[in-house]
Amino acid sequence: MLIITCVDAFVMARYVAAPIDLTNKPRRRLEAIVREHSAPQSLVMRARIILLGAAGAGVRETAEQLGLGRASVQRWRARWTATAGRPFRERLADAPRPGTPATFTPEQICAIIALACENPSDASLPIRRVACPS
């Protein structure tokens, strides 16, 4: 008689990643990125993650094969499926990152550059040499 306890059922349970469906056009484009010599390696790695997922490889298997963490593989698989219908390059691009707000407005930057490009004598500013203290 076979008795399965809750612990046995929990150990036997296995998480299976959602399959990635690729049509021919995206598959060809991803394969082209992988073969491209001048492609950024981060883009190549993302393309490989998606191609392996479409081939039926799981998250753990993909992570081991590519030498990545499982979280990275899960992130890119989820992002690929969540951005279906968006432009191809946008699906593989980095997400916008928060940063420090700009210190200067674009208008201020243009004014600074224009000032730096002007001849000081045109602005009636004297040009003189100042000896550096030794």
Side-chain angles (χ1 to χ4, degrees):
M1 174 154 82
L2 180 65
I3 299 175
I4 298 177
T5 64
C6 292
V7 174
D8 294 331
F10 180 74
V11 172
M12 289 172 39
R14 185 170 180 170
Y15 294 107
V16 178
I20 296 177
D21 293 326
L22 279 181
T23 58
N24 286 337
K25 186 175 179 181
R27 182 183 308 278
R28 285 193 312 260
R29 291 183 73 183
L30 289 168
E31 289 169 349
I33 289 171
V34 170
R35 287 190 310 267
E36 190 178 328
H37 294 291
S38 61
Q41 286 304 300
S42 58
L43 194 65
V44 171
M45 194 62 68
R46 295 167 192 166
R48 285 184 176 160
I49 290 169
I50 303 307
L51 287 170
L52 284 171
V59 172
R60 181 172 290 156
E61 181 184 347
T62 302
E64 288 173 0
Q65 188 171 349
L66 299 176
L68 298 172
R70 288 187 322 212
S72 296
V73 174
Q74 289 171 336
R75 180 181 316 114
W76 284 105
R77 286 176 64 123
R79 188 176 297 174
W80 178 263
T81 55
T83 57
R86 289 211 164 141
F88 186 79
R89 290 281 178 170
E90 186 179 313
R91 293 178 80 177
L92 294 176
D94 283 327
R97 297 181 183 191
T100 307
T103 305
F104 299 104
T105 65
E107 293 81 18
Q108 290 173 322
I109 293 171
C110 288
I112 292 168
I113 292 172
L115 180 64
C117 293
E118 285 183 11
N119 189 352
S121 60
D122 293 343
S124 65
L125 295 172
I127 299 176
R128 61 181 182 169
R129 291 183 182 247
V130 178
C132 295
S134 301

